[in-house]
Amino acid sequence: MKKLKIVIFITLILCLASTMFGRTIYAGRGRYRSLQSAFKAINSGDTLKIFPGRYYTNTTLEVSNKNRVRIEGIGRVHIICRDKAATIIEFSKCKNVTLVNVHATHSPTAR
C-alpha cells in the first residue's frame, strides 16, 4: 500500500511539472512541418521554436486561451501571409506571451 501511495505521488508531481514547465515544439520540420499545425498544438507553458526559412500562410496563425507561451525563431524566420485582410499572428485571451526573432509580413502575390 505504501508503494502504491509513492507511485501515485510521483505521478502527480510529474503531471504538475509538465503543466508548469511545458514542452518544446519544433515547427518547420518533423512532426509539425506547417506553422498552422504547430500553433494548434501549443499548450500553456510551451515553447514553439521555428526552424529558419520562409513560411507562407493564407490564414491567421492563432493562439487562444494559453498562458506562458514563447514563440521563438531559430535563425531567420519569415512568415508571409497572402491575405492582406488577415492578422498574421493573433493571441487572444493569452497572458505572458513572448515572440522572439520572427518577421511577419503581408504579400498577396506570394507564391
Side-chain angles (χ1 to χ4, degrees), residues 81-101:
C81 184
R82 293 180 182 103
D83 182 357
K84 275 194 165 186
T87 301
I88 301 171
I89 301 173
E90 182 176 331
F91 300 98
S92 62
K93 298 180 183 174
C94 295
K95 294 180 182 175
N96 300 321
V97 174
T98 305
L99 183 63
V100 178
N101 202 28

Side-chain angles (χ1 to χ4, degrees), residues 62-81:
E62 299 179 58
V63 178
S64 300
N65 299 308
K66 309 293 185 222
N67 299 319
R68 300 176 326 278
V69 171
R70 180 179 177 87
I71 298 174
E72 179 180 338
I74 304 170
R76 291 181 166 230
V77 173
H78 193 144
I79 301 171
I80 302 165
C81 184

Side-chain angles (χ1 to χ4, degrees), residues 1-8:
M1 185 67 167
K2 188 175 181 179
K3 286 183 181 180
L4 179 62
K5 286 182 182 179
I6 291 172
V7 168
I8 291 172

Side-chain angles (χ1 to χ4, degrees), residues 10-68:
I10 291 171
T11 304
L12 286 172
I13 295 297
L14 291 173
C15 289
L16 288 173
S18 68
T19 59
M20 262 176 57
F21 300 112
R23 5 167 234 168
T24 300
I25 298 171
Y26 291 91
R29 297 182 195 159
R31 183 174 181 183
Y32 300 106
R33 289 187 181 269
S34 77
L35 291 187
Q36 194 71 33
S37 64
F39 271 71
K40 286 181 180 179
I42 293 173
N43 290 316
S44 290
D46 286 352
T47 297
L48 171 61
K49 293 192 175 192
I50 305 171
F51 285 105
R54 288 181 179 224
Y55 297 90
Y56 295 91
T57 183
N58 295 318
T59 60
T60 300
L61 300 169
E62 299 179 58
V63 178
S64 300
N65 299 308
K66 309 293 185 222
N67 299 319
R68 300 176 326 278

